[in-house]
Amino acid sequence: MRAGKAWLLGLAAFLLALLFFEKSLVIAPIAVVAGWLSLRNGRAPDDETPTRTLLWRRGRNLWLPLGALFVAWTALYLLVSKVVDGEHTLAQTASLVWRSINDGLMPAVAGGPWLWDRWVPSPPMATPPIVLIAAGWLVLAAGIAVAVRLRRGAGLIWACAVGYTVAALIPVMWNRSSKDTALELAQTLRYLPDAAVVLTLAIALTAAAPERDGAVRWAPARLWSPRTVQA
């Protein structure tokens, strides 16, 4: 496909995603941030052009229609949607976000959750053992530490990925809960599929980032090569 027509495919994919998943709205800002991080880490050392300028020049055929659809869909969503009835509280929202991450995402990082429970007619709820939750935190911390040690810019990449994962849960948990909402709602994992995509994107951006000086001596560079990620 010619580069001049690629924006049409991107716009169509964005629209299709919006029709099926409300959190697809964040695809546009994620694409912009991912493009900025990629250019920031991959540009030539002697290139003094601001990264935001390069990002605009190389992607404006996509950013313009994507941005227009983003604004229009946001306005439509705010017009037709409403907060569910109930007394919403910051404390309950924070508890639900924490439960989603600690009991939902972290076990998945370590290959879980392994165990499930269900309150009919609710969807299944993850009930991971505490050892699996701890393993997930260790795997995530170790992975980020290795990434930061091996690749330049990895710290910013993972700060954006982790920040998104937390921030994207807040409005959903606020809108879908009240002070009496059971915390087990967060263990159904229904609000985490987008996090898997963003974390995978972070791995790919890390693999494509330039190596730090001494990284080859500290650990095999091939473990974080783009070819490894593609495989």
Side-chain angles (χ1 to χ4, degrees):
M1 177 180 291
R2 295 181 180 179
K5 299 295 183 181
W7 68 268
L8 187 59
L9 180 60
L11 185 64
F14 186 32
L15 179 59
L16 184 64
L18 287 170
L19 294 175
F20 289 93
F21 188 38
E22 60 184 355
K23 288 175 73 176
S24 296
L25 190 64
V26 300
I27 289 175
I30 287 175
V32 173
V33 173
W36 182 80
L37 289 170
S38 179
L39 288 174
R40 180 179 181 273
N41 292 330
R43 60 189 304 172
D46 58 347
D47 188 353
E48 298 181 356
T49 307
T51 304
R52 61 179 180 275
T53 302
L54 288 175
L55 181 66
W56 171 252
R57 288 176 181 174
R58 298 185 183 184
R60 60 188 172 193
N61 288 338
L62 176 62
W63 305 140
L64 286 173
L66 214 64
L69 181 56
F70 173 81
V71 172
W73 198 273
T74 299
L76 177 63
Y77 179 80
L78 294 176
L79 181 64
V80 301
S81 65
K82 64 178 181 178
V83 176
V84 296
D85 295 334
E87 185 179 345
H88 305 280
T89 66
L90 291 176
Q92 186 71 353
T93 299
S95 296
L96 286 166
V97 170
W98 169 251
R99 184 69 71 92
S100 292
I101 295 172
N102 190 64
D103 291 49
L105 184 59
M106 288 304 106
V109 171
W114 297 350
L115 302 176
W116 297 84
D117 195 0
R118 188 181 184 188
W119 300 342
V120 179
S122 72
M125 301 172 295
T127 56
I130 187 66
V131 64
L132 189 62
I133 296 175
W137 282 107
L138 289 175
V139 169
L140 180 64
I144 293 177
V146 171
V148 171
R149 180 63 181 85
L150 294 182
R151 299 287 173 172
R152 294 199 301 268
L156 182 58
I157 291 172
W158 284 95
C160 291
V162 172
Y164 166 81
T165 302
V166 176
L169 286 170
I170 294 174
V172 176
M173 292 306 178
W174 173 268
N175 193 46
R176 298 291 174 86
S177 69
S178 66
K179 66 176 182 178
D180 297 320
T181 299
L183 295 180
E184 284 76 11
L185 169 70
Q187 295 169 226
T188 60
L189 310 189
R190 63 171 68 181
Y191 304 116
L192 290 173
D194 55 308
V197 177
V198 172
L199 294 177
T200 302
L201 180 58
I203 293 174
L205 289 171
T206 301
E211 296 176 1
R212 287 189 182 277
D213 296 336
V216 176
R217 294 190 296 273
W218 187 79
R222 62 178 178 274
L223 294 178
W224 282 92
S225 68
R227 290 184 179 180
T228 301
V229 175
Q230 291 173 1

